[in-house]
Every structure is written in structure tokens, then in C-alpha cells.
């Protein structure tokens, strides 16, 4: 249904645009099927599931037109009161019929709701992924300093054959070897990583102040997600405490 709906709308729009400058009817335009994302956006905007009506409301929908046609002089309140009385005196088999109809609608609603929220979640994940990718590209564009390698990374690079892709088993073996290495033997790797870390911290602080000066505070924003609540802290001016917090998270 969605695949046929979107192309028809696009075709009509093109026809209206062309009819402004030409009196001839343009030939049908084949636009192909819309993307899956376009279909899902259409689904979210037009097919949002609604809660089913209860058994009493279903009964009212059936009986109200009959009462209004038979007694048009009755007000809405009077009709509603009569419907309530009829429902109280309605036989159980008739009530069960409306109850069964309600259960069927409720089961259908639960399935539609589950599908709807799955689609919604996927679209939100796509948006977050695009936002992360955009931020990463901007960091590269504005030359944000990259995190230096750790002491274990230096140790790891010395034990892997250059140009070859390491296997999981090799990685596990080297990790065990690192754990069993003495602190004295680890010291060269730790010192090397510490020097690079200090240089990284200085470069990062300089980069953050430069971004703030250029009006790009959004590039140094710290975002923390916890139980669907997001807190943002933005560096402004010479707030050293905020800078220190950002450096720890970077």
C-alpha cells in the first residue's frame, strides 16, 4: 500500500508543476518504488495505531444511529442515557459478542503497536548514527586531536606481525602475556604512553579554546546519556573546571 501511495503523490505533484507552463498532459512518470525509510516515515505519520474501543463503545456505535433515526428529538445526553440503560439490560450473549469483537481488535492493536515501535526505534537509531557520523566528520574537518595509544597498545603492536590481521586466539594470548608481565618490564610502554597522553591533553585543551573562539561550542559539547535523560555541558569562556571534565571524558 505504501509503495503505491508515495509514487502517486509524487506523480501528481510533477503533473501540477508542469501544467503551469504547458497545457499538454505530460506522460506518466515512472519514479520507482520509494525507499524503505520513506515507507517507514509514511507509516509513522499515517499508520500510528490507535487503542481499540471497548465493548460498550462498540455497542453504542451500533445502536446510536438507530436511536437517533427513531427519536431525532432526543439530545445527546438523553441518547447516551438510553444507551446506558440498554447496555445494562442487554443479554449476556449479546454482551459477549461485543466483548469478543473488542478482544479481536485489542490483539490486532498490540501487534500493530509492537511493529510501530520497532520501526520507530530503528528510525531513531538511524538518526543517531547519522548524527554521530556527522560529528565525527566535523571533528576530522576541524582537526580535533586524536587519542593516543595506550601502553598495552604499544605492547600489542610489538607482538603482532606487521601487515597481517591478528586472530582472536593471538589477541587472547598476548593479553595473558601482558597480564603476566612485571611492572618493571611494563615501564617503557607506560612512560611512552604517558608522554603522548600529556601532549594530547595540551593539544586538546588548545583545540577546545580555539573552537569556542570560532563559535563552534557544539564541537566541544559533552553529552551523557542515562535512562533516556541527556545532560549537556558546553565550554564557555575560561571555565577551567568544565574543561577538566571534558578532558576526562574525551
Amino acid at each position: 500500500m505504501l509503495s503505491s501511495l508515495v509514487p502517486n503523490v509524487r506523480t501528481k505533484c510533477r503533473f501540477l508543476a508542469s501544467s503551469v507552463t504547458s497545457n499538454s498532459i505530460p506522460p506518466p512518470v515512472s519514479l520507482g518504488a520509494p525507499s524503505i525509510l520513506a515507507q517507514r516515515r509514511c507509516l509513522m505519520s499515517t499508520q500510528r495505531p490507535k487503542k481499540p474501543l471497548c465493548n460498550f463503545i462498540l455497542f453504542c456505535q451500533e445502536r446510536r444511529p438507530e436511536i437517533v433515526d427513531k427519536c431525532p428529538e432526543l439530545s445527546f445526553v438523553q441518547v447516551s442515557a438510553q444507551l446506558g440503560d440498554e447496555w445494562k439490560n442487554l443479554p449476556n450473549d449479546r454482551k459477549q459478542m461485543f466483548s469478543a469483537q473488542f478482544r479481536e481488535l485489542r490483539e490486532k492493536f498490540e501487534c500493530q503497536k509492537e511493529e510501530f515501535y520497532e520501526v520507530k526505534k530503528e528510525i531513531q537509531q538511524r538518526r543517531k548514527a547519522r548524527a554521530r557520523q556527522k560529528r565525527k566528520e566535523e571533528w576530522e574537518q576541524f582537526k580535533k586531536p586524536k587519542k593516543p595509544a595506550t601502553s598495552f597498545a604499544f605492547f600489542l603492536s610489538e607482538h603482532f606481525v606487521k601487515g597481517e590481521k591478528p586472530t582472536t586466539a593471538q589477541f587472547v594470548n598476548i593479553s595473558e602475556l601482558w597480564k603476566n608481565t612485571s611492572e618493571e618490564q611494563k615501564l617503557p610502554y607506560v612512560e611512552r604512553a604517558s608522554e603522548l597522553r600529556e601532549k594530547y591533553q595540551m593539544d586538546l585543551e588548545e583545540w577546545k579554546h580555539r573552537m569556542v573562539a570560532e563559535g563552534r561550542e557544539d564541537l566541544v559539547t559533552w553529552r551523557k546519556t542515562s535512562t533516556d535523560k541527556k545532560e549537556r555541558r558546553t565550554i564557555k569562556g575560561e571555565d577551567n573546571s568544565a574543561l577538566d571534565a571534558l578532558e576526562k571524558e574525551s
Side-chain angles (χ1 to χ4, degrees), residues 36-59:
I36 296 177
L37 187 58
Q39 294 181 23
R40 290 177 174 174
R41 284 176 178 170
C42 183
L43 174 67
M44 291 188 64
S45 61
T46 61
Q47 302 294 331
R48 182 183 294 272
K50 297 181 179 180
K51 289 185 178 181
L53 303 175
C54 66
N55 47 7
F56 173 67
I57 300 299
L58 294 173
F59 165 76

Side-chain angles (χ1 to χ4, degrees), residues 83-97:
L83 287 171
D85 294 336
E86 289 186 10
W87 176 256
K88 290 179 182 179
N89 300 322
L90 195 68
N92 288 333
D93 57 342
R94 286 277 293 166
K95 285 186 177 181
Q96 290 298 327
M97 183 186 70

Side-chain angles (χ1 to χ4, degrees), residues 112-123:
Q112 291 177 341
K113 183 178 72 171
E114 183 178 354
E115 179 183 359
F116 172 80
Y117 282 108
E118 286 179 358
V119 171
K120 182 178 180 181
K121 182 179 179 181
E122 183 176 349
I123 291 177

Side-chain angles (χ1 to χ4, degrees), residues 178-190:
W178 173 256
K179 291 179 181 179
N180 298 326
T181 302
S182 64
E183 295 298 328
E184 184 179 355
Q185 292 174 325
K186 289 181 180 180
L187 188 59
Y189 305 102
V190 173

Side-chain angles (χ1 to χ4, degrees), residues 17-44:
S18 61
S19 62
V20 175
T21 56
S22 176
N23 295 326
S24 60
I25 300 177
V29 180
S30 177
L31 299 177
S35 64
I36 296 177
L37 187 58
Q39 294 181 23
R40 290 177 174 174
R41 284 176 178 170
C42 183
L43 174 67
M44 291 188 64

Side-chain angles (χ1 to χ4, degrees), residues 37 69 106 108 123 138 144 159 175 183 206 225 243:
L37 187 58
D69 290 341
R106 183 174 59 184
K108 183 179 180 181
I123 291 177
E138 287 181 331
K144 179 183 178 182
H159 290 77
S175 298
E183 295 298 328
E206 180 183 354
T225 304
L243 282 173

Side-chain angles (χ1 to χ4, degrees), residues 100-133:
Q101 185 178 356
F102 167 69
R103 286 193 296 269
E104 182 180 352
L105 293 174
R106 183 174 59 184
E107 291 176 0
K108 183 179 180 181
F109 164 74
E110 293 296 335
C111 294
Q112 291 177 341
K113 183 178 72 171
E114 183 178 354
E115 179 183 359
F116 172 80
Y117 282 108
E118 286 179 358
V119 171
K120 182 178 180 181
K121 182 179 179 181
E122 183 176 349
I123 291 177
Q124 289 175 343
Q125 290 175 346
R126 285 173 176 261
R127 288 175 178 173
K128 290 180 180 179
R130 287 198 298 269
R132 287 194 297 267
Q133 180 63 27

